[in-house]
Amino acid sequence: MTTTIFRGKTTRAKVIRAAIVVLGVLLMVVMFCPACTKVINLSVPNAATQIVIEGNVTNGPGPYQVSVTTTVSFSANNNFPTVDGAQVTITDNAGLYDSLVETAPGIYSTQGNWVGQPGNTYTLRVSVNGGNYTGTSTMPQPVNLDSVTFVQVSRLKKAIIEAEPNFQDPPGVGHYYQFAETINGSPLNKIFVFDDRLSAGNYIRQPLADDSAHLQAGDYFSLNMYCVDENTYNYFRELAQQQNTGTFEAVLFTDVAPANPNNNLSGGALGYFSANTTQTWTGYVNVP
């Protein structure tokens, strides 16, 4: 028994020494591997350029603006070229007709002294470079934003402040909301979306998911609340799903959507056209 145990120890010692040698060789290979690494260049095909249209009509004072840009190739930077010389009009079902003027490169502004009306259906038409694009949106009835409060939550052992809009959702399903935050005068590059599918007719108090880098006590804060139609909600909701977010979760808002969500624009254009109500709450971040 003693001999067997001794032989076993000897065998294990040999195995350990051999393993150390092998590991040393492998370490040398890893250390010198970068010197002989072959660089492989991937060939990524560039998609055809597409028109990107983004426009809003609200129940607040105009003028309203429509931006027209184009996409860029995969290898290009994120400076999206503006499109000049487009013919842009907005009409509605009540007889409105406005021919927009280009007030900056790729930015087209309404001329008439008119204000968007809840219940009206607005149609945007853009003609440029031989292409014709159309978008239609019906402005919902407004829902009053009563107040904004702030709550402190803990995530990953960090104290986080989140804004909490408070409002009464009307009876029946089919109400869609969008929120945007401005902190100390700088718009936060996120958009929040919510629908009343599971809370129709309830009084809503739900924090907007943020992180510790955004809201701090004493910040000057603005919250814009938009009542949007279903198509606009679905557009931004798809962005939310691509970002793996849920109800009232943040959506990174970029010039071109990462997977081109479905929109209400015909003719193959990317982007969206929205007729929505808008209201703003402003104040200082204060956690009880």
Side-chain angles (χ1 to χ4, degrees):
M1 290 293 297
T2 302
T3 304
T4 303
I5 292 174
F6 177 79
R7 289 179 61 185
K9 288 182 179 180
T10 303
T11 302
R12 284 195 294 271
K14 291 180 179 179
V15 171
I16 292 172
R17 286 196 297 270
I20 291 174
V21 172
V22 172
L23 288 174
V25 173
L26 289 175
L27 181 60
M28 292 178 65
V29 171
V30 171
M31 291 175 62
F32 289 100
C33 185
C36 58
T37 299
K38 182 179 180 180
V39 177
I40 300 175
N41 294 316
L42 296 177
S43 177
V44 180
N46 290 322
T49 297
Q50 289 181 272
I51 292 290
V52 181
I53 299 171
E54 295 174 332
N56 292 274
V57 170
T58 77
N59 64 335
Y64 312 115
Q65 294 184 329
V66 174
S67 71
V68 184
T69 59
T70 62
T71 58
V72 294
S73 64
F74 179 84
S75 57
N77 58 32
N78 287 332
N79 294 323
F80 300 98
T82 59
V83 177
D84 301 330
Q87 295 179 346
V88 183
T89 63
I90 293 177
T91 59
D92 75 357
N93 59 329
L96 169 72
Y97 179 89
D98 195 335
S99 179
L100 282 66
V101 295
E102 189 170 5
T103 53
I107 302 296
Y108 300 82
S109 302
T110 56
Q111 297 186 77
N113 187 23
W114 55 273
V115 176
Q117 298 298 313
N120 285 11
T121 298
Y122 294 87
T123 299
L124 169 70
R125 292 182 175 87
V126 177
S127 297
V128 63
N129 297 334
N132 296 299
Y133 312 95
T134 302
T136 300
S137 180
T138 299
M139 186 180 297
Q141 295 299 319
V143 174
N144 188 56
L145 176 61
D146 294 335
S147 63
V148 175
T149 51
F150 300 92
V151 294
Q152 184 167 294
V153 298
S154 178
R155 283 207 198 114
L156 300 177
K157 298 182 180 180
K158 290 184 178 180
I160 298 172
I161 299 175
E162 296 178 340
E164 184 179 61
N166 304 293
F167 60 95
Q168 176 64 55
D169 182 73
V173 297
H175 301 96
Y176 306 94
Y177 306 92
Q178 186 179 15
F179 300 86
E181 298 179 347
T182 300
I183 304 170
N184 296 323
S186 299
L188 185 65
N189 195 31
K190 287 186 178 181
I191 288 183
F192 306 84
V193 291
F194 173 73
D195 78 301
D196 66 349
R197 181 173 56 89
L198 300 178
S199 56
N202 292 344
Y203 196 86
I204 307 299
R205 293 186 180 93
Q206 177 69 38
L208 305 178
D210 245 313
D211 63 44
S212 58
H214 294 153
L215 291 181
Q216 304 294 329
D219 284 344
Y220 187 67
F221 179 83
S222 296
L223 181 70
N224 291 331
M225 172 175 163
Y226 311 107
C227 296
V228 301
D229 66 6
E230 185 176 7
N231 286 330
T232 302
Y233 167 80
N234 286 335
Y235 176 84
F236 288 105
R237 180 60 176 167
E238 285 192 36
L239 286 181
Q241 290 172 343
Q242 292 170 13
Q243 297 292 335
N244 294 320
T245 61
T247 299
F248 266 124
E249 293 290 323
V251 183
L252 292 177
F253 188 53
T254 56
D255 287 323
V256 178
N260 304 335
N262 293 322
N263 60 26
N264 61 345
L265 298 173
S266 67
L270 306 181
Y272 69 96
F273 173 61
S274 175
N276 54 263
T277 65
T278 179
Q279 54 189 303
T280 303
W281 181 97
T282 57
Y284 291 93
V285 176
N286 181 21
V287 180

CSV table of all heavy atoms in Angstrom, one decimal, residues 132-186:
chain,number,residue,atom,x,y,z
A,132,ASN,N,-41.5,60.2,-55.0
A,132,ASN,CA,-42.7,60.8,-54.3
A,132,ASN,C,-43.0,60.0,-53.0
A,132,ASN,O,-43.1,58.7,-53.1
A,132,ASN,CB,-43.9,60.8,-55.2
A,132,ASN,CG,-43.7,61.7,-56.4
A,132,ASN,OD1,-43.5,62.9,-56.3
A,132,ASN,ND2,-43.8,61.1,-57.6
A,133,TYR,N,-43.1,60.7,-51.9
A,133,TYR,CA,-43.3,60.0,-50.6
A,133,TYR,C,-44.4,60.7,-49.9
A,133,TYR,O,-44.6,61.9,-49.9
A,133,TYR,CB,-42.0,60.1,-49.8
A,133,TYR,CG,-40.7,59.8,-50.6
A,133,TYR,CD1,-40.0,60.8,-51.2
A,133,TYR,CD2,-40.4,58.4,-50.7
A,133,TYR,CE1,-38.9,60.4,-51.9
A,133,TYR,CE2,-39.2,58.1,-51.5
A,133,TYR,CZ,-38.5,59.1,-52.1
A,133,TYR,OH,-37.4,58.8,-52.8
A,134,THR,N,-45.2,59.8,-49.2
A,134,THR,CA,-46.4,60.3,-48.5
A,134,THR,C,-46.5,59.7,-47.2
A,134,THR,O,-46.2,58.5,-47.0
A,134,THR,CB,-47.7,60.0,-49.3
A,134,THR,OG1,-47.6,60.5,-50.6
A,134,THR,CG2,-48.9,60.5,-48.7
A,135,GLY,N,-47.0,60.5,-46.2
A,135,GLY,CA,-47.2,60.0,-44.8
A,135,GLY,C,-48.5,60.6,-44.3
A,135,GLY,O,-48.8,61.8,-44.5
A,136,THR,N,-49.3,59.9,-43.6
A,136,THR,CA,-50.5,60.3,-43.0
A,136,THR,C,-50.6,60.0,-41.5
A,136,THR,O,-50.2,58.9,-41.1
A,136,THR,CB,-51.7,59.7,-43.7
A,136,THR,OG1,-51.7,60.0,-45.1
A,136,THR,CG2,-53.1,60.2,-43.2
A,137,SER,N,-51.1,61.0,-40.7
A,137,SER,CA,-51.2,60.8,-39.3
A,137,SER,C,-52.4,61.6,-38.8
A,137,SER,O,-52.6,62.7,-39.2
A,137,SER,CB,-49.9,61.3,-38.6
A,137,SER,OG,-50.0,61.1,-37.2
A,138,THR,N,-53.2,60.9,-37.9
A,138,THR,CA,-54.3,61.6,-37.2
A,138,THR,C,-53.9,62.0,-35.8
A,138,THR,O,-53.5,61.2,-35.0
A,138,THR,CB,-55.5,60.7,-37.2
A,138,THR,OG1,-55.9,60.3,-38.5
A,138,THR,CG2,-56.7,61.3,-36.5
A,139,MET,N,-54.1,63.3,-35.5
A,139,MET,CA,-53.7,63.8,-34.2
A,139,MET,C,-54.8,63.3,-33.1
A,139,MET,O,-55.9,63.6,-33.2
A,139,MET,CB,-53.7,65.3,-34.2
A,139,MET,CG,-53.1,65.9,-32.9
A,139,MET,SD,-53.1,67.7,-32.9
A,139,MET,CE,-51.9,68.0,-34.2
A,140,PRO,N,-54.3,62.6,-32.1
A,140,PRO,CA,-55.2,62.2,-31.0
A,140,PRO,C,-55.7,63.4,-30.2
A,140,PRO,O,-55.2,64.5,-30.2
A,140,PRO,CB,-54.3,61.2,-30.2
A,140,PRO,CG,-53.1,61.0,-31.0
A,140,PRO,CD,-52.9,62.2,-31.8
A,141,GLN,N,-56.7,63.1,-29.3
A,141,GLN,CA,-57.2,64.1,-28.4
A,141,GLN,C,-56.1,64.2,-27.2
A,141,GLN,O,-55.5,63.2,-26.9
A,141,GLN,CB,-58.5,63.6,-27.8
A,141,GLN,CG,-59.6,63.6,-28.8
A,141,GLN,CD,-59.9,65.0,-29.4
A,141,GLN,OE1,-59.8,66.0,-28.7
A,141,GLN,NE2,-60.1,65.0,-30.7
A,142,PRO,N,-55.9,65.3,-26.7
A,142,PRO,CA,-54.9,65.5,-25.7
A,142,PRO,C,-55.3,64.8,-24.3
A,142,PRO,O,-56.5,64.7,-24.0
A,142,PRO,CB,-54.8,67.0,-25.5
A,142,PRO,CG,-56.1,67.5,-25.9
A,142,PRO,CD,-56.6,66.6,-27.0
A,143,VAL,N,-54.3,64.4,-23.6
A,143,VAL,CA,-54.4,63.9,-22.3
A,143,VAL,C,-53.6,64.8,-21.4
A,143,VAL,O,-52.4,65.0,-21.7
A,143,VAL,CB,-54.0,62.4,-22.2
A,143,VAL,CG1,-54.0,61.9,-20.7
A,143,VAL,CG2,-54.8,61.5,-23.0
A,144,ASN,N,-54.2,65.3,-20.3
A,144,ASN,CA,-53.5,66.2,-19.5
A,144,ASN,C,-52.4,65.6,-18.6
A,144,ASN,O,-52.6,64.6,-17.9
A,144,ASN,CB,-54.5,67.0,-18.6
A,144,ASN,CG,-53.9,68.1,-17.8
A,144,ASN,OD1,-53.3,69.0,-18.4
A,144,ASN,ND2,-53.9,68.1,-16.5
A,145,LEU,N,-51.2,66.2,-18.6
A,145,LEU,CA,-50.1,65.8,-17.7
A,145,LEU,C,-50.3,66.6,-16.5
A,145,LEU,O,-50.0,67.8,-16.4
A,145,LEU,CB,-48.8,66.1,-18.4
A,145,LEU,CG,-47.5,65.9,-17.6
A,145,LEU,CD1,-47.4,64.4,-17.2
A,145,LEU,CD2,-46.3,66.3,-18.3
A,146,ASP,N,-50.7,66.0,-15.4
A,146,ASP,CA,-51.0,66.6,-14.1
A,146,ASP,C,-49.8,67.2,-13.5
A,146,ASP,O,-49.8,68.3,-13.0
A,146,ASP,CB,-51.8,65.7,-13.2
A,146,ASP,CG,-53.1,65.3,-13.7
A,146,ASP,OD1,-53.7,66.1,-14.5
A,146,ASP,OD2,-53.6,64.2,-13.3
A,147,SER,N,-48.8,66.3,-13.4
A,147,SER,CA,-47.6,66.7,-12.7
A,147,SER,C,-46.4,65.8,-13.0
A,147,SER,O,-46.7,64.7,-13.6
A,147,SER,CB,-47.8,66.8,-11.1
A,147,SER,OG,-48.1,65.5,-10.7
A,148,VAL,N,-45.2,66.1,-12.5
A,148,VAL,CA,-44.1,65.2,-12.6
A,148,VAL,C,-43.5,65.1,-11.2
A,148,VAL,O,-43.2,66.2,-10.6
A,148,VAL,CB,-43.1,65.7,-13.6
A,148,VAL,CG1,-41.8,64.8,-13.6
A,148,VAL,CG2,-43.7,65.7,-15.0
A,149,THR,N,-43.3,64.0,-10.7
A,149,THR,CA,-42.6,63.8,-9.4
A,149,THR,C,-41.4,62.9,-9.7
A,149,THR,O,-41.1,62.5,-10.8
A,149,THR,CB,-43.5,63.0,-8.4
A,149,THR,OG1,-44.1,61.9,-9.0
A,149,THR,CG2,-44.7,64.0,-8.0
A,150,PHE,N,-40.6,62.8,-8.7
A,150,PHE,CA,-39.3,62.1,-8.8
A,150,PHE,C,-39.2,61.1,-7.7
A,150,PHE,O,-39.5,61.3,-6.6
A,150,PHE,CB,-38.1,63.1,-8.7
A,150,PHE,CG,-38.2,64.1,-9.8
A,150,PHE,CD1,-38.8,65.4,-9.6
A,150,PHE,CD2,-37.6,63.9,-11.1
A,150,PHE,CE1,-38.8,66.3,-10.6
A,150,PHE,CE2,-37.7,64.8,-12.0
A,150,PHE,CZ,-38.3,66.1,-11.8
A,151,VAL,N,-38.6,59.9,-8.1
A,151,VAL,CA,-38.4,58.8,-7.2
A,151,VAL,C,-37.0,58.3,-7.2
A,151,VAL,O,-36.3,58.5,-8.3
A,151,VAL,CB,-39.4,57.6,-7.5
A,151,VAL,CG1,-40.8,58.0,-7.3
A,151,VAL,CG2,-39.2,57.1,-8.9
A,152,GLN,N,-36.5,57.8,-6.1
A,152,GLN,CA,-35.2,57.2,-6.1
A,152,GLN,C,-35.3,55.7,-6.0
A,152,GLN,O,-35.9,55.2,-5.1
A,152,GLN,CB,-34.4,57.8,-4.9
A,152,GLN,CG,-32.9,57.4,-4.9
A,152,GLN,CD,-32.1,58.2,-3.9
A,152,GLN,OE1,-31.9,59.4,-4.1
A,152,GLN,NE2,-31.7,57.6,-2.8
A,153,VAL,N,-34.6,55.0,-6.9
A,153,VAL,CA,-34.6,53.6,-6.9
A,153,VAL,C,-33.1,53.1,-6.9
A,153,VAL,O,-32.2,53.9,-7.0
A,153,VAL,CB,-35.3,53.0,-8.2
A,153,VAL,CG1,-36.7,53.5,-8.2
A,153,VAL,CG2,-34.6,53.5,-9.4
A,154,SER,N,-33.0,51.8,-6.6
A,154,SER,CA,-31.6,51.3,-6.5
A,154,SER,C,-31.5,50.2,-7.6
A,154,SER,O,-32.3,49.3,-7.7
A,154,SER,CB,-31.4,50.6,-5.1
A,154,SER,OG,-30.1,50.0,-5.0
A,155,ARG,N,-30.4,50.4,-8.4
A,155,ARG,CA,-30.1,49.4,-9.4
A,155,ARG,C,-28.6,49.1,-9.4
A,155,ARG,O,-27.8,50.1,-9.5
A,155,ARG,CB,-30.5,50.0,-10.8
A,155,ARG,CG,-32.0,49.9,-11.1
A,155,ARG,CD,-32.2,49.8,-12.6
A,155,ARG,NE,-33.6,50.2,-12.9
A,155,ARG,CZ,-33.9,51.3,-13.6
A,155,ARG,NH1,-33.0,52.1,-14.1
A,155,ARG,NH2,-35.1,51.6,-13.8
A,156,LEU,N,-28.3,47.9,-9.3
A,156,LEU,CA,-26.9,47.5,-9.3
A,156,LEU,C,-26.1,48.2,-8.2
A,156,LEU,O,-25.0,48.7,-8.4
A,156,LEU,CB,-26.2,47.7,-10.6
A,156,LEU,CG,-26.8,46.9,-11.8
A,156,LEU,CD1,-26.1,47.2,-13.1
A,156,LEU,CD2,-26.8,45.4,-11.5
A,157,LYS,N,-26.8,48.4,-7.0
A,157,LYS,CA,-26.2,49.0,-5.9
A,157,LYS,C,-25.9,50.5,-6.1
A,157,LYS,O,-25.1,51.1,-5.4
A,157,LYS,CB,-24.9,48.3,-5.4
A,157,LYS,CG,-25.2,46.8,-5.0
A,157,LYS,CD,-23.9,46.2,-4.5
A,157,LYS,CE,-24.1,44.7,-4.1
A,157,LYS,NZ,-22.9,44.1,-3.6
A,158,LYS,N,-26.6,51.1,-7.1
A,158,LYS,CA,-26.5,52.5,-7.3
A,158,LYS,C,-27.9,53.2,-7.1
A,158,LYS,O,-28.9,52.7,-7.5
A,158,LYS,CB,-26.0,52.8,-8.7
A,158,LYS,CG,-24.6,52.4,-9.0
A,158,LYS,CD,-24.2,52.8,-10.4
A,158,LYS,CE,-22.7,52.5,-10.7
A,158,LYS,NZ,-22.3,52.9,-12.1
A,159,ALA,N,-27.8,54.4,-6.5
A,159,ALA,CA,-29.0,55.2,-6.3
A,159,ALA,C,-29.3,56.0,-7.6
A,159,ALA,O,-28.5,56.7,-8.0
A,159,ALA,CB,-28.9,56.1,-5.1
A,160,ILE,N,-30.5,55.8,-8.1
A,160,ILE,CA,-30.9,56.4,-9.4
A,160,ILE,C,-32.1,57.2,-9.2
A,160,ILE,O,-33.1,56.7,-8.6
A,160,ILE,CB,-31.1,55.3,-10.5
A,160,ILE,CG1,-29.8,54.6,-10.7
A,160,ILE,CG2,-31.6,55.9,-11.8
A,160,ILE,CD1,-29.9,53.4,-11.6
A,161,ILE,N,-32.2,58.4,-9.8
A,161,ILE,CA,-33.3,59.2,-9.7
A,161,ILE,C,-34.1,59.1,-11.1
A,161,ILE,O,-33.5,59.2,-12.1
A,161,ILE,CB,-33.0,60.7,-9.5
A,161,ILE,CG1,-32.3,60.8,-8.1
A,161,ILE,CG2,-34.2,61.6,-9.5
A,161,ILE,CD1,-31.8,62.2,-7.8
A,162,GLU,N,-35.4,58.9,-11.0
A,162,GLU,CA,-36.2,58.8,-12.2
A,162,GLU,C,-37.4,59.7,-12.1
A,162,GLU,O,-38.0,59.9,-11.0
A,162,GLU,CB,-36.7,57.3,-12.4
A,162,GLU,CG,-35.5,56.4,-12.6
A,162,GLU,CD,-36.0,54.9,-12.8
A,162,GLU,OE1,-37.1,54.6,-12.3
A,162,GLU,OE2,-35.2,54.1,-13.3
A,163,ALA,N,-37.7,60.3,-13.3
A,163,ALA,CA,-38.9,61.2,-13.3
A,163,ALA,C,-40.2,60.3,-13.5
A,163,ALA,O,-40.2,59.2,-14.1
A,163,ALA,CB,-38.8,62.1,-14.5
A,164,GLU,N,-41.3,60.8,-12.9
A,164,GLU,CA,-42.5,60.0,-12.8
A,164,GLU,C,-43.7,60.9,-13.3
A,164,GLU,O,-44.2,61.7,-12.5
A,164,GLU,CB,-42.7,59.5,-11.4
A,164,GLU,CG,-43.9,58.6,-11.2
A,164,GLU,CD,-44.1,58.2,-9.8
A,164,GLU,OE1,-44.2,59.0,-8.9
A,164,GLU,OE2,-44.0,56.9,-9.5
A,165,PRO,N,-44.1,60.8,-14.6
A,165,PRO,CA,-45.3,61.5,-15.0
A,165,PRO,C,-46.5,61.0,-14.4
A,165,PRO,O,-46.7,59.8,-14.2
A,165,PRO,CB,-45.3,61.3,-16.5
A,165,PRO,CG,-44.5,60.0,-16.7
A,165,PRO,CD,-43.5,59.9,-15.6
A,166,ASN,N,-47.4,61.9,-14.1
A,166,ASN,CA,-48.7,61.6,-13.4
A,166,ASN,C,-49.9,62.1,-14.3
A,166,ASN,O,-50.0,63.3,-14.5
A,166,ASN,CB,-48.8,62.2,-12.0
A,166,ASN,CG,-47.6,61.8,-11.2
A,166,ASN,OD1,-47.5,60.6,-10.8
A,166,ASN,ND2,-46.8,62.7,-10.9
A,167,PHE,N,-50.7,61.1,-14.8
A,167,PHE,CA,-51.8,61.6,-15.6
A,167,PHE,C,-52.9,60.5,-15.6
A,167,PHE,O,-52.7,59.3,-15.3
A,167,PHE,CB,-51.3,61.8,-17.1
A,167,PHE,CG,-50.7,60.6,-17.7
A,167,PHE,CD1,-51.4,59.8,-18.6
A,167,PHE,CD2,-49.3,60.3,-17.6
A,167,PHE,CE1,-50.8,58.7,-19.2
A,167,PHE,CE2,-48.7,59.2,-18.2
A,167,PHE,CZ,-49.5,58.4,-19.0
A,168,GLN,N,-54.1,60.9,-16.0
A,168,GLN,CA,-55.3,60.0,-16.1
A,168,GLN,C,-55.4,59.5,-17.5
A,168,GLN,O,-55.7,60.3,-18.4
A,168,GLN,CB,-56.5,60.8,-15.6
A,168,GLN,CG,-57.8,60.0,-15.7
A,168,GLN,CD,-57.8,58.8,-14.8
A,168,GLN,OE1,-57.6,58.9,-13.6
A,168,GLN,NE2,-58.0,57.6,-15.4
A,169,ASP,N,-55.3,58.2,-17.7
A,169,ASP,CA,-55.5,57.6,-19.0
A,169,ASP,C,-57.0,57.6,-19.2
A,169,ASP,O,-57.8,57.2,-18.4
A,169,ASP,CB,-54.9,56.2,-19.0
A,169,ASP,CG,-55.1,55.6,-20.4
A,169,ASP,OD1,-54.4,56.0,-21.3
A,169,ASP,OD2,-55.9,54.7,-20.5
A,170,PRO,N,-57.5,58.0,-20.4
A,170,PRO,CA,-58.9,57.9,-20.7
A,170,PRO,C,-59.5,56.5,-20.7
A,170,PRO,O,-58.7,55.5,-20.9
A,170,PRO,CB,-59.0,58.6,-22.1
A,170,PRO,CG,-57.8,59.4,-22.2
A,170,PRO,CD,-56.7,58.6,-21.5
A,171,PRO,N,-60.8,56.3,-20.6
A,171,PRO,CA,-61.4,55.0,-20.7
A,171,PRO,C,-61.1,54.4,-22.1
A,171,PRO,O,-61.0,55.1,-23.1
A,171,PRO,CB,-62.9,55.2,-20.5
A,171,PRO,CG,-62.9,56.6,-19.8
A,171,PRO,CD,-61.8,57.4,-20.3
A,172,GLY,N,-61.0,53.1,-22.1
A,172,GLY,CA,-60.9,52.3,-23.4
A,172,GLY,C,-59.4,52.3,-23.8
A,172,GLY,O,-58.6,53.2,-23.5
A,173,VAL,N,-59.0,51.2,-24.5
A,173,VAL,CA,-57.7,51.0,-24.9
A,173,VAL,C,-57.5,51.9,-26.2
A,173,VAL,O,-58.4,52.3,-26.8
A,173,VAL,CB,-57.3,49.6,-25.2
A,173,VAL,CG1,-57.4,48.8,-23.9
A,173,VAL,CG2,-58.3,49.0,-26.3
A,174,GLY,N,-56.2,52.0,-26.6
A,174,GLY,CA,-55.9,52.7,-27.8
A,174,GLY,C,-55.3,54.1,-27.6
A,174,GLY,O,-55.4,55.0,-28.5
A,175,HIS,N,-54.7,54.4,-26.5
A,175,HIS,CA,-54.0,55.6,-26.2
A,175,HIS,C,-52.5,55.4,-26.1
A,175,HIS,O,-52.1,54.5,-25.4
A,175,HIS,CB,-54.6,56.3,-24.9
A,175,HIS,CG,-56.0,56.5,-25.0
A,175,HIS,ND1,-56.9,55.6,-24.4
A,175,HIS,CD2,-56.8,57.5,-25.5
A,175,HIS,CE1,-58.2,56.1,-24.6
A,175,HIS,NE2,-58.1,57.2,-25.2
A,176,TYR,N,-51.8,56.2,-26.8
A,176,TYR,CA,-50.3,56.0,-27.0
A,176,TYR,C,-49.6,57.3,-26.6
A,176,TYR,O,-50.0,58.4,-27.0
A,176,TYR,CB,-50.0,55.6,-28.4
A,176,TYR,CG,-50.8,54.4,-28.9
A,176,TYR,CD1,-52.0,54.6,-29.6
A,176,TYR,CD2,-50.4,53.1,-28.7
A,176,TYR,CE1,-52.8,53.6,-30.0
A,176,TYR,CE2,-51.2,52.1,-29.1
A,176,TYR,CZ,-52.4,52.3,-29.8
A,176,TYR,OH,-53.1,51.2,-30.2
A,177,TYR,N,-48.5,57.1,-25.9
A,177,TYR,CA,-47.7,58.2,-25.4
A,177,TYR,C,-46.3,58.1,-25.7
A,177,TYR,O,-45.7,57.0,-25.8
A,177,TYR,CB,-47.9,58.3,-23.8
A,177,TYR,CG,-49.4,58.3,-23.4
A,177,TYR,CD1,-50.0,57.1,-23.1
A,177,TYR,CD2,-50.1,59.5,-23.3
A,177,TYR,CE1,-51.3,57.1,-22.7
A,177,TYR,CE2,-51.4,59.5,-22.8
A,177,TYR,CZ,-52.0,58.3,-22.5
A,177,TYR,OH,-53.3,58.3,-22.1
A,178,GLN,N,-45.7,59.3,-25.8
A,178,GLN,CA,-44.2,59.4,-26.0
A,178,GLN,C,-43.7,60.5,-25.1
A,178,GLN,O,-44.4,61.5,-24.9
A,178,GLN,CB,-44.0,59.7,-27.5
A,178,GLN,CG,-42.5,59.7,-27.9
A,178,GLN,CD,-42.4,60.0,-29.4
A,178,GLN,OE1,-43.3,60.5,-30.0
A,178,GLN,NE2,-41.2,59.8,-29.9
A,179,PHE,N,-42.5,60.3,-24.5
A,179,PHE,CA,-41.9,61.3,-23.6
A,179,PHE,C,-40.5,61.6,-24.0
A,179,PHE,O,-39.8,60.8,-24.5
A,179,PHE,CB,-42.0,60.7,-22.1
A,179,PHE,CG,-43.3,60.4,-21.6
A,179,PHE,CD1,-43.9,59.2,-21.9
A,179,PHE,CD2,-44.1,61.3,-20.9
A,179,PHE,CE1,-45.2,58.8,-21.4
A,179,PHE,CE2,-45.3,61.0,-20.4
A,179,PHE,CZ,-45.9,59.8,-20.7
A,180,ALA,N,-40.1,62.8,-23.7
A,180,ALA,CA,-38.7,63.3,-24.0
A,180,ALA,C,-38.3,64.2,-22.8
A,180,ALA,O,-39.0,65.0,-22.4
A,180,ALA,CB,-38.6,64.0,-25.3
A,181,GLU,N,-37.1,63.9,-22.3
A,181,GLU,CA,-36.5,64.7,-21.2
A,181,GLU,C,-35.5,65.7,-21.7
A,181,GLU,O,-34.7,65.4,-22.6
A,181,GLU,CB,-35.9,63.7,-20.2
A,181,GLU,CG,-36.8,62.7,-19.6
A,181,GLU,CD,-36.1,61.8,-18.6
A,181,GLU,OE1,-34.8,61.7,-18.6
A,181,GLU,OE2,-36.8,61.1,-17.9
A,182,THR,N,-35.5,66.8,-21.0
A,182,THR,CA,-34.4,67.8,-21.2
A,182,THR,C,-33.9,68.1,-19.8
A,182,THR,O,-34.6,68.5,-18.8
A,182,THR,CB,-35.0,69.1,-21.8
A,182,THR,OG1,-35.5,68.8,-23.1
A,182,THR,CG2,-33.9,70.2,-22.0
A,183,ILE,N,-32.5,68.1,-19.6
A,183,ILE,CA,-31.9,68.2,-18.3
A,183,ILE,C,-30.9,69.4,-18.4
A,183,ILE,O,-30.0,69.4,-19.2
A,183,ILE,CB,-31.1,66.9,-17.9
A,183,ILE,CG1,-32.1,65.8,-17.9
A,183,ILE,CG2,-30.5,67.1,-16.5
A,183,ILE,CD1,-31.5,64.4,-17.8
A,184,ASN,N,-31.2,70.4,-17.6
A,184,ASN,CA,-30.3,71.6,-17.6
A,184,ASN,C,-30.1,72.2,-19.0
A,184,ASN,O,-29.0,72.6,-19.4
A,184,ASN,CB,-28.9,71.3,-17.0
A,184,ASN,CG,-29.1,70.9,-15.5
A,184,ASN,OD1,-29.9,71.4,-14.8
A,184,ASN,ND2,-28.3,69.9,-15.1
A,185,GLY,N,-31.2,72.2,-19.8
A,185,GLY,CA,-31.2,72.8,-21.1
A,185,GLY,C,-30.7,71.9,-22.2
A,185,GLY,O,-30.8,72.3,-23.4
A,186,SER,N,-30.3,70.7,-21.9
A,186,SER,CA,-29.8,69.8,-22.9
A,186,SER,C,-30.7,68.6,-23.1
A,186,SER,O,-31.0,67.9,-22.1
A,186,SER,CB,-28.4,69.2,-22.5
A,186,SER,OG,-27.5,70.3,-22.4
